[in-house]
Amino acid sequence: MALRHGANPYLLVGPQHAFRSEWNLTYPATSMVAAMPLSFLSEEWASLLFIALSTTVLCFLLTENGWERMPLFLSAGFIAAARAGQWSPLMSAAWLSPLLAWAIAAKPNTGAALALARGSRRWLILGLSGGLLLLVISLLLMPDWPAYWIASLRAGYGITPRVLDKGGVLLLLALLRWRRPEARLIAALALIPQTPNWYEVLPLHLVPSTYRQSLAYSLVSSIGFVVTWLLVRNDPPGRYFDVGSMMVAFAYLPAVLMVLRRPNESPT
């Protein structure tokens, strides 16, 4: 809404700003342009509609060829994303359909991982075209937003690649199956800077290929979330950076083990 009215959202959101938040605004203006149609609604209704639409699209794409990965919606990763009104469900849907590839511009770190791992020229062309359109519109609305965005990212903390966490280097073992897109997805997500929030692991729920794998993976990753919550609930600042290592142990490494059991060949 701020961007639509000509205000600078990076000066309005944060610990010491008008809209108080624990963190500075770390999203690019392209994400605000993409969500601008929802800015005419209240915050509660906009968040609800955004998650409802994202979930519906993700569910439709997941079940297009079967119902094997439906346990994704029982996972802590999905629940955390839904509660926070995050882009993760839509980004996961974008992995499944090139028509949603434009979403890479809304969350460039995850978008870059998807683009690197997808291995589809059509997906990449549609993603870059849609992203360029969002970028042009955002620059027309606020030409200097990239400088504020970069400054906001530098002022934040906890935005690091999971490969730098304890045991994180083991995630690169996924590249032993580099011909498989899901293996490249794991490695790419491990290498990009991201916050240690559990909704970031949602795209990894696309790695399971059977119902049992999906159910087991949702259970294991959710156990990791519960254990993490029990450890950090009384001392979030002191234990914040430990969350990344828990994500490695309970979300990334199980996904790596799954792909290592598959042949190093493209599924198509």
Side-chain angles (χ1 to χ4, degrees):
M1 182 181 294
L3 190 64
R4 180 162 58 85
H5 286 93
N8 186 337
Y10 296 97
L11 299 180
L12 294 175
V13 179
Q16 305 298 327
H17 298 316
F19 296 93
R20 291 191 175 275
S21 171
E22 187 177 356
W23 320 111
N24 293 322
L25 182 59
T26 57
Y27 282 92
T30 47
S31 67
M32 304 173 207
V33 172
M36 193 168 289
L38 299 176
S39 67
F40 294 93
L41 302 174
S42 66
E43 181 180 354
E44 292 77 10
W45 279 106
S47 298
L48 180 61
L49 184 57
F50 177 70
I51 288 299
L53 291 174
S54 300
T55 301
T56 300
V57 172
L58 178 58
C59 183
F60 175 80
L61 294 172
L62 277 178
T63 57
E64 191 172 12
N65 297 313
W67 295 69
E68 291 81 4
R69 289 183 285 190
M70 286 299 285
L72 173 154
F73 296 105
L74 301 175
S75 69
F78 173 77
I79 295 172
R83 289 192 63 185
Q86 275 292 322
W87 285 89
S88 300
L90 189 59
M91 301 294 287
S92 300
W95 171 260
L96 300 171
S97 173
L99 296 179
L100 297 172
W102 55 266
I104 64 175
K107 197 169 183 180
N109 55 344
T110 304
L114 296 179
L116 289 171
R118 197 64 183 89
S120 167
R121 180 178 297 180
R122 179 169 179 260
W123 196 98
L124 186 59
I125 290 174
L126 290 175
L128 292 178
S129 300
L132 181 60
L133 178 61
L134 291 176
L135 177 62
V136 170
I137 296 174
S138 68
L139 291 174
L140 289 174
L141 292 172
M142 184 179 172
D144 57 348
W145 74 259
Y148 285 97
W149 178 51
I150 293 173
S152 183
L153 290 174
R154 288 177 175 173
Y157 63 90
I159 305 178
T160 58
R162 297 284 70 82
V163 73
L164 297 181
D165 292 316
K166 295 174 184 177
V169 69
L170 296 175
L171 305 182
L172 298 181
L173 290 174
L175 292 176
L176 294 174
R177 301 293 183 267
W178 61 271
R179 288 189 175 92
R180 305 193 67 90
E182 68 270 29
R184 298 193 298 269
L185 177 64
I186 296 170
L189 288 173
L191 289 169
I192 62 167
Q194 57 179 289
T195 61
N197 289 304
W198 219 262
Y199 51 72
E200 302 282 12
V201 309
L202 187 61
L204 293 175
H205 286 265
L206 301 176
V207 173
S209 58
T210 68
Y211 178 80
R212 286 187 178 182
Q213 287 179 0
S214 183
L215 185 61
Y217 185 73
S218 293
L219 178 61
V220 171
S221 62
S222 297
I223 289 174
F225 171 81
V226 173
V227 172
T228 301
W229 179 77
L230 291 174
L231 288 175
V232 306
R233 61 176 178 168
N234 294 323
D235 187 18
R239 296 189 182 248
Y240 185 77
F241 292 102
D242 292 341
V243 178
S245 298
M246 298 295 288
M247 292 167 67
V248 169
F250 287 90
Y252 279 86
L253 283 177
V256 171
L257 292 176
M258 270 190 283
V259 299
L260 289 179
R261 293 172 60 89
R262 303 170 186 173
N264 186 27
E265 56 188 34
S266 176
T268 56

